[in-house]
Amino acid sequence: MSTTDHTIRSWKATPLGRVAKFIGSVRLAVPALTLAAGAMVWGTWIESTQDRAAAADIVYGSWWFMLLMALICASLVLSVAVRYPWKPKHTGFIIVHASLISLITIGFYTMYSKIEARVILAEGETSSIAVLEDRWVQLLEPSIGGARTLDRFFLAGDKPIRFDLESLSDIRIEILEQWDNSAEVTKITDDGTNPFHAIEIAAGPGAREAESGDWLGQLIATDPAIPSNAAAFAVRVIATGETWTPPTERPYAVITDSSGTEYALGAAGEPIGQTGWTLTEIAQFQRATIGESGLIDRPDGPANPATLVVLTHADGSVEQQIGFEKFRGEPFVQQQSGETPSGLVLTYLGPSFTDPTLAIMRDDDGTVHAILADPDGSVETFAHDGAWPWHLTVMGTPVSVLRSYPNARASKVLAEADAQDSNSPVLTISTDSGPEQLVWNTPTPVTVGGHELVLQYGSVQVQLPFALELVDFRKLDYPGVDMAMAFESDVMVTNLASPRSVNAALLASEGPTLADPFEFKIFMNHPYEQDGWKVYQASFIGDSITVFQVTYDPGLVPMYIACTTLCIGILLIFYSRKLSFGHPGIPAPFGESGTTKE
Amino acid sequence: MPSALMQSVVQRDVALRSTSGFLSSALTTVAVLVAVMAAIVFAPAARAQDSTGDAAVDSSQWQKALGLIPIQDGGRLMPLDTFARRLAVDLTGRATWREGKGPEGFSGRPAIELFADLIARPQEVFRSPLIAINHEELKREIGFDPDRKFFSPQEIMRAEPLHQLVGAMRERMAEDSNAKPSAIERKAAKVQNAAMAVAMFQRDRQFPLIPRTDSEIYATVGTATAEPGYEDVQAALWDFRTAYLTGDDVLGAVRNLESTIADHASTSESLARNVRLEYFYNHHRPWIWAAVANGVALLCLIGFAVTRLKLFAVLAGVAIAAALGEQFLGLWLRIDILDRAPVSNTYEAVLWMGIVSTLFGLVGQAFNRKGLYLAAGLVASMLCIIFSQLVPLTDQTNSIPAVLRSNYWLIIHVMTIVASYGAFLLAAVLGHTFLIRDVVLRRPADPNARLIVQTYRLIQLGLVLLTVGTILGGVWAAESWGRFWGWDPKETWALISIVLYFLVLHARYSGWIRDFGLAVLSVIGFISIVWTFYGVNYVMAAGLHSYGFGSGGEKWVGLWALGEVLFLALCFTRRKASSAQRAEAERSEEHEVAQSETAPPDESAPSTA
């Protein structure tokens, strides 16, 4: 016994031993735990001011927090180790500290082994596939009838992608950018094969794309400082080679009959050809708006030419028609009295030209100029001084022509978008041929480090050892309010052949043999369990779609065991005199006076 | 009263003889403070009760009859009395106001009369100052006089800036699901809702008063309109309105309303019983009686300590029994009425904490008759009740989300956790007592009482419960949705508190802190517990434990925390000033206290972690 004591003592006296003793001492544990507590305070603060993901990213999942946990774990291990040889009174101490070591270890193990996925089923649907909640990059091998996953990489932050496959162990794929959602936008480049004129302009509000024409360009920005009704004119780009002259003719209203004969609108009281109808009322509007009292001209309204006519037949029938320039041939017809429909149509003829138009064109010699044509017939010409961007003021609105593309080519590209309607995250990685975009759930061939790979950024599907069919989903509300009291799903479970291992299950997609299905009811606090998998009622969508949370957590049972021993250990330290040293100055247990000495 | 307890109370005689110096100082101070607070809290309610007077004997009859009519609201059946009280709280901030206080026209009157007013003369109510706005910044923002407390619904409906404020908030929340309303916006929305609730009465609001045979959802009726087929109830309600306005046989009108409703279908007997129980609960007010009985018990204990008359000990025992009886009655009523575990929101948890404190005090006293567990338990229990009644903890009888329903582990989890809070509160009370006695008043410590040992013991007990409770929470979460630990703010803060208290034990073990440090840290630890319990839900309002979310009382809790910090600062200054004495005292303590060899010299100031 004394020799053992001696060896231990001498081991502790070495420099390494002193370091071990320090790491295992309360002097290190207290600051380390204080630091951990501080970090956790910070984490909860981040969660309340930002969100859960930010807290996980900045604190709980960060390398330094892991390191701190590892240090605490090491401190716990050494605190037990340096007390060797242990006495019976160390029992409580050892149980507590060993349990804590286990808890931290299991925590780390759970981080890498736990699978959390979702199954969303509508009534009548069956699935044995769950979708992992995280984002992954998968390495695919194209095969007949689909692709096979060779390896996958869990995406956290912007750490570079590495695959575990031996043949690819040397490559490191840098992540350049991550977008939570994307949308397609048109981009103009000047590398078209044919001459095609396009411009890029930044215009204030009031300018808009012409309704017809060879518009090609990008409206970059509008200046919100200018009120939107300050000006209203269309911008039109004239294609290379096309000639354009401002229209001189104004659109005009006429009445046509079923045979296509046109009758010009005269003054009130004039008959309309030989139709038997007489024009009894006529009114013209430039900025027509349908108000409560009928059609009115609103001075501040948008340009909207319209004509109102009232037609009267000899037999006493009266018909009112309202024709809009914008909706040619489709007047609003109202039979005001009598039975006879006129069969006449109030419509507009002539060029469609209601707004002033700014036409930007490129001459054969390469110079650019613009023409502002007003419907009243006036024309203003803007000559380009040769400098880009070209600033002009059109009807009080500043317009900047940023660039002119003589050989424009339009292409669709992805741009970052707000996370709203579609779920299409994009990951940009560096490849041998420059940055490459991986679109959500779309296999993309890339070349990295000389290897030709097929990568897919997206969710990962997991094969479950059972199939679930949703028979019925029920949501019970509290009486009289729209608040769920309970929700539950009736499922038919089909036990598929037990998979070889979880990893095999993750990667396999072969169809296993089937067993007889059986009924099961999944509800809050009542999950379905099989082969380490648990299916929980998590949520629902509408009235008939259920959302299950599926987990596989091999660390759970060890976690329970460690928690139990931890509690036993704490009780021993606090309340057992035989199996703990008690605390200085504190009598143990209740009711004793005096002190317990170590 | 169990005889063991009586015996323990009597046995305390020995201890009290030796510690009477302490009892006549520190405990008296605490008790007087608590009594004053209790008086402030409960006196208005008591006086409001009295002020109804003789003339109101008649009206109290119809009020009771009307209050007992069941109404379906908030997802359950409740007496109209509760409905009216909740309405009064939503509008005026309190269920009742004592004469001369509160909004004009409502002060000194029961909530059910406010309801009757709203039915009978909604226009008048709409124009009278009724809705409480306490938020000064909000009042300035919307152009209201910051010195006024109550505003008429009409003024509020006309306050364009208020609607803009709320509209902007709604717009923001619709666009961004992560957006959180600011305190002022939340209050603005509440005020707007209150005004709109009154406005609804103007447009003949209908109430789900009539049970149906074919559906769980009650048929609704107003004074002028009703669901088809229930016109007779509408007529009866109109008759009640007329009778109320004229003051002519109101009771008869209420009885008529009752019987007309009963003609259609009857509420099931178990539900009807719950409604009656709830009415009893509203009017018996078990928590207030419990607080009063606790106060009486404390005074008796002090009386016993000073005079050593056994009569005081017996009286204290009776008062404690009465207090516990009332608390368990309240608990049982809540379980029975709401049909759920009595720890489903913050209000209930605080009340549970009070019960646990008394029980721990009794158990501790049974084990250690020289201790002050019982007195501390009574103080803690009383503080809990006062806090629960003083602070407007939102929605005291609400329905709970599906995830929290009928789960054994969840109930055990919450009860264990809150029980640990009770133990820590007890430890903090004893810590305060130690600081007041040994540091502020500089009474020499009595080695036999070992107050700080009791504090230490309670921290241990609290730690066991908090650890077990937090683990149980993990077990429940793992069984409910498959994750044992998820860094949710509530569980993280529970862990922070666990770590903090374990640090205290380690610091004490290594001798870094002594009695003073332990007492100080028992107070600081409890601030952390309050943050875990209250701050996470009411101030941070994030994470999964959202059923406890609410607002209210931030000012009070903040003031308390500030007071604690000032108190600790005072303790540190007093301690420094008497450093010579302290050195003396600690030298004598040195003999007593066994030290590990790593313990640094005692000069080191206690670490406040």
Coordinates of all heavy atoms in Angstrom, one line a residue, chain A residues 485-531:
Chain A
M485 N -56.5 21.2 -28.8 CA -56.4 20.6 -27.5 C -55.5 19.3 -27.7 O -54.8 19.0 -26.8 CB -57.8 20.2 -27.1 CG -57.9 19.7 -25.7 SD -59.6 19.8 -25.1 CE -60.4 18.5 -26.0
A486 N -55.7 18.7 -28.8 CA -54.9 17.5 -29.1 C -54.9 17.3 -30.6 O -55.8 17.7 -31.3 CB -55.5 16.3 -28.4
F487 N -53.8 16.6 -31.1 CA -53.9 16.1 -32.4 C -53.2 14.8 -32.5 O -52.3 14.5 -31.8 CB -53.4 17.1 -33.5 CG -52.2 17.9 -33.1 CD1 -50.9 17.6 -33.5 CD2 -52.3 19.0 -32.2 CE1 -49.8 18.3 -33.2 CE2 -51.2 19.8 -31.9 CZ -50.0 19.4 -32.3
E488 N -53.8 13.9 -33.4 CA -53.3 12.5 -33.4 C -53.5 12.0 -34.9 O -54.3 12.5 -35.6 CB -54.1 11.7 -32.4 CG -55.6 11.8 -32.6 CD -56.3 11.1 -31.4 OE1 -55.8 11.2 -30.3 OE2 -57.4 10.5 -31.6
S489 N -52.6 11.0 -35.2 CA -52.6 10.4 -36.5 C -52.8 8.9 -36.4 O -52.0 8.3 -35.6 CB -51.3 10.7 -37.2 OG -51.0 12.1 -37.3
D490 N -53.8 8.4 -37.1 CA -53.9 6.9 -37.2 C -53.0 6.5 -38.4 O -53.2 7.0 -39.5 CB -55.3 6.5 -37.5 CG -56.2 6.6 -36.3 OD1 -55.6 6.7 -35.2 OD2 -57.4 6.7 -36.4
V491 N -52.0 5.6 -38.2 CA -51.2 5.1 -39.3 C -51.3 3.6 -39.4 O -51.5 2.9 -38.4 CB -49.7 5.6 -39.1 CG1 -49.6 7.1 -39.3 CG2 -49.2 5.2 -37.7
M492 N -51.0 3.1 -40.6 CA -50.8 1.7 -40.8 C -49.3 1.6 -40.9 O -48.6 2.2 -41.8 CB -51.4 1.2 -42.1 CG -53.0 1.2 -42.0 SD -53.6 0.1 -40.7 CE -53.5 -1.4 -41.7
V493 N -48.7 0.7 -40.1 CA -47.2 0.5 -40.1 C -46.9 -0.8 -40.8 O -47.5 -1.8 -40.5 CB -46.6 0.5 -38.7 CG1 -45.1 0.4 -38.8 CG2 -47.1 1.8 -38.0
T494 N -46.0 -0.7 -41.8 CA -45.5 -1.9 -42.4 C -44.1 -2.1 -42.1 O -43.3 -1.2 -42.3 CB -45.7 -1.9 -44.0 OG1 -47.0 -1.4 -44.3 CG2 -45.4 -3.2 -44.6
N495 N -43.8 -3.2 -41.4 CA -42.4 -3.4 -41.0 C -41.6 -3.9 -42.2 O -41.9 -5.0 -42.7 CB -42.4 -4.4 -39.8 CG -41.0 -4.5 -39.2 OD1 -40.1 -3.9 -39.6 ND2 -41.0 -5.3 -38.2
L496 N -40.6 -3.1 -42.6 CA -39.8 -3.6 -43.7 C -38.6 -4.4 -43.1 O -38.4 -4.4 -41.9 CB -39.2 -2.4 -44.4 CG -40.3 -1.3 -44.9 CD1 -39.6 -0.1 -45.5 CD2 -41.3 -1.9 -45.8
A497 N -38.0 -5.2 -43.9 CA -36.9 -6.0 -43.4 C -35.9 -5.2 -42.7 O -35.5 -4.1 -43.1 CB -36.2 -6.7 -44.6
S498 N -35.5 -5.7 -41.5 CA -34.6 -4.9 -40.7 C -33.3 -4.6 -41.4 O -32.7 -5.5 -42.0 CB -34.3 -5.8 -39.4 OG -33.4 -5.1 -38.7
P499 N -32.8 -3.4 -41.4 CA -31.6 -3.0 -42.2 C -30.4 -3.5 -41.5 O -30.4 -3.8 -40.3 CB -31.7 -1.5 -42.2 CG -32.5 -1.1 -41.0 CD -33.4 -2.2 -40.7
R500 N -29.3 -3.6 -42.2 CA -28.1 -4.1 -41.7 C -27.5 -3.2 -40.6 O -27.1 -3.6 -39.5 CB -27.0 -4.3 -42.8 CG -27.2 -5.6 -43.6 CD -26.7 -5.4 -45.0 NE -27.5 -4.3 -45.6 CZ -27.3 -4.0 -46.9 NH1 -26.4 -4.6 -47.6 NH2 -28.0 -3.0 -47.4
S501 N -27.5 -1.9 -40.9 CA -27.0 -0.9 -39.9 C -27.7 0.4 -40.3 O -28.3 0.5 -41.4 CB -25.5 -0.8 -40.0 OG -25.1 -0.2 -41.2
V502 N -27.5 1.4 -39.5 CA -28.1 2.6 -39.8 C -27.5 3.2 -41.0 O -28.2 3.7 -41.9 CB -28.0 3.6 -38.6 CG1 -28.6 4.9 -39.0 CG2 -28.7 3.0 -37.4
N503 N -26.2 3.1 -41.1 CA -25.5 3.7 -42.3 C -25.9 3.0 -43.6 O -26.1 3.7 -44.6 CB -24.0 3.6 -42.1 CG -23.4 4.8 -41.4 OD1 -24.1 5.9 -41.4 ND2 -22.4 4.6 -40.6
A504 N -26.1 1.7 -43.5 CA -26.6 1.0 -44.6 C -28.0 1.5 -44.9 O -28.4 1.7 -46.1 CB -26.6 -0.5 -44.3
A505 N -28.8 1.7 -43.9 CA -30.2 2.2 -44.1 C -30.2 3.6 -44.8 O -31.0 3.9 -45.6 CB -30.9 2.3 -42.8
L506 N -29.2 4.4 -44.4 CA -29.1 5.7 -44.9 C -28.8 5.6 -46.4 O -29.3 6.5 -47.2 CB -28.0 6.5 -44.3 CG -28.3 7.1 -42.9 CD1 -27.0 7.5 -42.2 CD2 -29.3 8.2 -43.0
L507 N -28.0 4.7 -46.8 CA -27.5 4.7 -48.2 C -28.3 3.8 -49.1 O -28.3 3.9 -50.3 CB -26.0 4.3 -48.2 CG -25.1 5.2 -47.4 CD1 -23.7 4.7 -47.4 CD2 -25.2 6.7 -48.0
A508 N -29.0 2.8 -48.5 CA -29.7 1.8 -49.3 C -30.9 2.3 -49.9 O -31.6 3.2 -49.4 CB -30.0 0.6 -48.4
S509 N -31.3 1.8 -51.0 CA -32.6 2.1 -51.6 C -33.3 0.9 -52.2 O -34.2 1.0 -52.9 CB -32.5 3.2 -52.6 OG -31.6 2.9 -53.6
E510 N -32.7 -0.3 -51.9 CA -33.3 -1.5 -52.4 C -34.6 -1.8 -51.7 O -34.7 -1.4 -50.5 CB -32.4 -2.7 -52.2 CG -31.0 -2.7 -52.8 CD -30.0 -2.1 -51.8 OE1 -29.5 -2.8 -51.0 OE2 -29.8 -0.9 -51.8
G511 N -35.5 -2.4 -52.4 CA -36.8 -2.7 -51.7 C -36.7 -4.0 -50.9 O -36.3 -5.0 -51.3
P512 N -37.0 -3.8 -49.6 CA -36.9 -5.0 -48.7 C -38.2 -5.8 -48.8 O -39.2 -5.4 -49.4 CB -36.7 -4.4 -47.3 CG -37.1 -2.9 -47.5 CD -37.5 -2.6 -48.9
T513 N -38.2 -6.9 -48.1 CA -39.4 -7.8 -48.0 C -40.4 -7.1 -47.0 O -40.1 -6.5 -46.1 CB -39.1 -9.2 -47.5 OG1 -38.3 -9.0 -46.3 CG2 -38.2 -9.9 -48.6
L514 N -41.6 -7.4 -47.3 CA -42.7 -6.8 -46.5 C -43.3 -7.7 -45.5 O -43.4 -8.9 -45.7 CB -43.8 -6.3 -47.5 CG -43.4 -5.2 -48.5 CD1 -44.6 -4.8 -49.4 CD2 -42.8 -4.0 -47.8
A515 N -43.7 -7.1 -44.4 CA -44.5 -7.8 -43.4 C -45.9 -7.3 -43.4 O -46.2 -6.4 -44.1 CB -43.9 -7.6 -42.0
D516 N -46.8 -7.9 -42.6 CA -48.2 -7.5 -42.6 C -48.3 -6.2 -41.9 O -47.7 -5.9 -40.8 CB -49.0 -8.5 -41.8 CG -49.3 -9.8 -42.6 OD1 -49.2 -9.6 -43.9 OD2 -49.5 -10.8 -42.1
P517 N -49.0 -5.2 -42.5 CA -49.2 -3.9 -41.8 C -50.1 -4.0 -40.6 O -50.9 -4.9 -40.5 CB -49.8 -3.1 -42.9 CG -50.4 -4.0 -43.8 CD -49.7 -5.3 -43.7
F518 N -49.9 -3.1 -39.6 CA -50.7 -3.1 -38.4 C -51.0 -1.6 -38.1 O -50.3 -0.7 -38.6 CB -50.0 -3.8 -37.3 CG -48.7 -3.2 -36.9 CD1 -48.5 -2.2 -36.0 CD2 -47.5 -3.7 -37.6 CE1 -47.3 -1.7 -35.7 CE2 -46.3 -3.2 -37.3 CZ -46.2 -2.2 -36.3
E519 N -52.1 -1.5 -37.3 CA -52.5 -0.1 -37.0 C -51.7 0.5 -35.8 O -51.4 -0.3 -34.9 CB -54.0 -0.1 -36.6 CG -54.9 0.1 -37.8 CD -56.4 0.0 -37.3 OE1 -56.7 0.7 -36.3 OE2 -57.1 -0.7 -37.9
F520 N -51.5 1.8 -35.8 CA -50.9 2.4 -34.7 C -51.4 3.9 -34.6 O -51.6 4.5 -35.7 CB -49.4 2.4 -34.8 CG -48.7 2.8 -33.5 CD1 -48.4 1.8 -32.6 CD2 -48.3 4.1 -33.3 CE1 -47.7 2.1 -31.4 CE2 -47.6 4.4 -32.1 CZ -47.4 3.4 -31.2
K521 N -51.6 4.3 -33.4 CA -52.0 5.7 -33.3 C -50.9 6.5 -32.7 O -50.4 6.3 -31.6 CB -53.2 5.8 -32.3 CG -53.9 7.2 -32.4 CD -54.8 7.4 -31.2 CE -56.1 6.8 -31.3 NZ -57.0 7.2 -30.2
I522 N -50.4 7.5 -33.4 CA -49.3 8.4 -33.0 C -49.9 9.7 -32.5 O -50.7 10.4 -33.3 CB -48.3 8.7 -34.1 CG1 -47.7 7.4 -34.6 CG2 -47.2 9.6 -33.7 CD1 -46.8 7.5 -35.8
F523 N -49.7 10.1 -31.3 CA -50.1 11.4 -30.9 C -49.1 12.0 -29.9 O -48.1 11.4 -29.6 CB -51.5 11.3 -30.2 CG -51.7 10.3 -29.1 CD1 -51.5 10.7 -27.8 CD2 -52.0 9.0 -29.4 CE1 -51.6 9.8 -26.7 CE2 -52.1 8.1 -28.3 CZ -51.9 8.5 -27.0
M524 N -49.4 13.2 -29.5 CA -48.5 14.0 -28.6 C -48.0 13.1 -27.4 O -48.9 12.5 -26.8 CB -49.2 15.2 -28.0 CG -49.1 16.4 -28.9 SD -47.5 17.1 -28.9 CE -47.5 18.0 -30.3
N525 N -46.8 12.9 -27.2 CA -46.2 12.1 -26.1 C -46.5 10.6 -26.3 O -46.3 9.9 -25.4 CB -46.8 12.6 -24.8 CG -46.7 14.0 -24.5 OD1 -45.7 14.6 -24.9 ND2 -47.6 14.6 -23.8
H526 N -46.8 10.2 -27.5 CA -47.0 8.8 -27.8 C -46.4 8.5 -29.1 O -47.1 8.4 -30.1 CB -48.5 8.5 -27.7 CG -48.8 7.0 -27.8 ND1 -49.3 6.4 -28.9 CD2 -48.6 6.0 -26.9 CE1 -49.4 5.1 -28.7 NE2 -49.0 4.8 -27.5
P527 N -45.1 8.3 -29.2 CA -44.4 8.1 -30.5 C -44.5 6.6 -30.9 O -44.7 5.7 -30.0 CB -43.0 8.5 -30.3 CG -42.8 8.3 -28.8 CD -44.1 8.5 -28.1
Y528 N -44.3 6.3 -32.2 CA -44.1 4.9 -32.6 C -42.6 4.6 -32.6 O -41.8 5.4 -32.9 CB -44.6 4.8 -34.1 CG -44.3 3.4 -34.6 CD1 -44.9 2.3 -34.2 CD2 -43.3 3.3 -35.6 CE1 -44.6 1.0 -34.7 CE2 -42.9 2.0 -36.1 CZ -43.6 0.9 -35.6 OH -43.3 -0.3 -36.1
E529 N -42.2 3.5 -32.0 CA -40.8 3.1 -31.9 C -40.5 1.8 -32.6 O -41.3 0.9 -32.5 CB -40.5 3.0 -30.4 CG -40.5 4.3 -29.7 CD -40.1 4.1 -28.2 OE1 -39.1 3.3 -27.9 OE2 -40.8 4.7 -27.3
Q530 N -39.4 1.8 -33.3 CA -39.0 0.5 -33.9 C -37.5 0.6 -34.2 O -37.0 1.6 -34.8 CB -39.8 0.2 -35.2 CG -39.4 -1.1 -35.8 CD -40.1 -1.3 -37.1 OE1 -41.2 -0.9 -37.4 NE2 -39.3 -2.0 -38.0
D531 N -36.7 -0.4 -33.9 CA -35.3 -0.5 -34.2 C -34.5 0.8 -33.9 O -33.7 1.2 -34.7 CB -35.1 -0.8 -35.7 CG -35.8 -2.1 -36.1 OD1 -36.0 -3.0 -35.2 OD2 -36.2 -2.2 -37.2

